[in-house]
Amino acid sequence: MEYGSLFADGKQAEDPRPPDNPDNPYGFLKFPMGYSVEIASLGLKIRGDVRRCCCVIDGGVYENLLFFPTIQMIKDRYPGVQVDILATARGKQTFELNKNVRWANAYDLDDDFPEPAEYTDMVGILKSRYYDMILSTKLAGIGHAVFLFMSTARDRVSYIYPNVNSAGAGLFLSETFTPDSMSLSEGGYHMYRQMVDWLGRPAHKVPRQPLPPLKVSISKKLREVVEAKYKNAGAQKGKYIVIHGIKSDSKASMQSRGAADSLLPIETWANIAEEIRGVKPVIVIPHEKEREDVEDALAVLVDDSAGVIATNTAAIQLAHARGKPSIGLFCSEDKARSFVPNAEEKKCATISSKTGKLVDIDVEAV
């Protein structure tokens, strides 16, 4: 009643239904097999409330990490909403850093030719969960739009290609956003600006929902495991600096798609480490076979460190999320402003290459 009448205005109330029982194949009530009974409030129909939302997130760790504030904004706008995540294989573990988010693991979004059985299984999962809204950051043509349409969600929201490849996609979607380029990641920190503006729009006498800052949760168990590892390496809590952004053959670099030039050779990092006095540098070199766990460990390393020195990788955003001072190395000033807006507020000092190539960055300035 804070914003208006019970059904026509205001935010939705907490979901009054009992929680789903994962051990019961029929849900929380024992309806016969073949029947899927749905209980919905009148406010859901009139106001367009959202009880269940599925977020289809394209990209790697960096893109997944920057979607965290959007997830929190959805939860703030729709109290009691259940948010499920369908992400690429590269971003699978990222969302485990965000509490109360489920992981839907059926097939890989990056696979242009998925197995028919996996594809139909994923469609069946989406249909059976009765999502009120499905969001997608994967650029949609008619194929991906049909996939979202088959979810039978009430609101089907997605980015579409900024060219002729988007032809026909809008017929299957409720709301579309056209990015400025073929990669959302080129938008930097605010790469999801269009979707955020739509999700937070004022409606039914509810004011605009603000976008919360980036935050990352760390479990106590994970912290204990990682703490034991860096202590065995001779580092002490609060007395080491995390160095991240080493060029290697591993796919676990956690760089953004919008910043291809964001890694430095280990020789350059060795020169930077020699200049550090008073603290122990901890150089993070992710391995391909451990890429699913590297972001979890990195989050703890960043949180327990004295600060971070990194190129334009997810490490610089993790430092901001945990309130740690950082030094960001960028190939250009434009990239620095794009990926680290309001750098001073985030306790981040940005250093940019004068030639437009990261390898030419002034090491002495660091």
Side-chain angles (χ1 to χ4, degrees), residues 236-252:
Q236 297 181 10
K237 184 175 182 179
K239 295 184 179 181
Y240 66 86
I241 290 178
V242 173
I243 291 178
H244 190 266
I246 300 173
K247 190 174 183 178
S248 67
D249 295 333
S250 172
K251 296 181 180 179

Side-chain angles (χ1 to χ4, degrees), residues 13-198:
E14 293 283 346
D15 194 340
R17 300 179 304 164
D20 291 340
N21 182 1
D23 299 326
N24 187 342
Y26 312 117
F28 65 91
L29 293 178
K30 295 183 179 180
F31 291 102
M33 184 177 295
Y35 290 84
S36 187
V37 179
E38 182 182 11
I39 301 177
S41 65
L42 185 59
L44 179 74
K45 181 69 175 178
I46 297 177
R47 294 197 306 261
D49 292 343
V50 177
R51 301 165 305 170
R52 291 186 175 184
C53 176
C54 180
C55 299
V56 182
I57 313 302
D58 190 31
V61 175
Y62 205 119
E63 288 76 17
N64 295 171
L65 186 64
L66 291 183
F67 197 78
F68 280 16
T70 306
I71 296 175
Q72 188 59 50
M73 187 178 72
I74 294 173
K75 292 181 177 181
D76 294 342
R77 185 176 180 89
Y78 303 107
V81 64
Q82 174 185 306
V83 179
D84 290 351
I85 301 297
L86 174 59
T88 59
R90 290 173 298 149
K92 174 181 176 181
Q93 297 293 326
T94 309
F95 288 100
E96 294 185 0
L97 295 173
N98 193 3
K99 292 181 178 179
N100 302 322
V101 175
R102 298 186 180 185
W103 161 246
N105 183 15
Y107 88 114
D108 194 348
L109 291 173
D110 284 339
D111 191 355
D112 294 329
F113 300 98
E115 290 291 333
E118 294 179 355
Y119 185 87
T120 55
D121 181 58
M122 188 70 251
V123 172
I125 291 175
L126 296 179
K127 287 173 65 68
S128 65
R129 292 186 179 179
Y130 292 100
Y131 289 112
D132 301 306
M133 181 166 61
I134 185 167
L135 307 173
S136 175
T137 65
K138 179 180 174 66
L139 297 185
I142 190 170
H144 186 57
V146 169
F147 172 77
L148 300 177
F149 177 80
M150 288 191 293
S151 70
T152 65
R154 183 193 65 213
D155 299 325
R156 302 172 299 279
V157 184
S158 177
Y159 285 90
I160 60 175
Y161 283 104
N163 53 29
V164 295
N165 291 326
S166 66
L171 297 174
F172 300 94
L173 300 172
S174 306
E175 187 73 23
T176 61
F177 313 110
T178 305
D180 297 329
S181 65
M182 289 290 290
S183 176
L184 291 182
S185 304
E186 293 183 6
Y189 186 83
H190 297 295
M191 63 179 69
Y192 304 116
R193 175 184 53 80
Q194 292 170 300
M195 181 174 286
V196 166
D197 288 344
W198 182 82

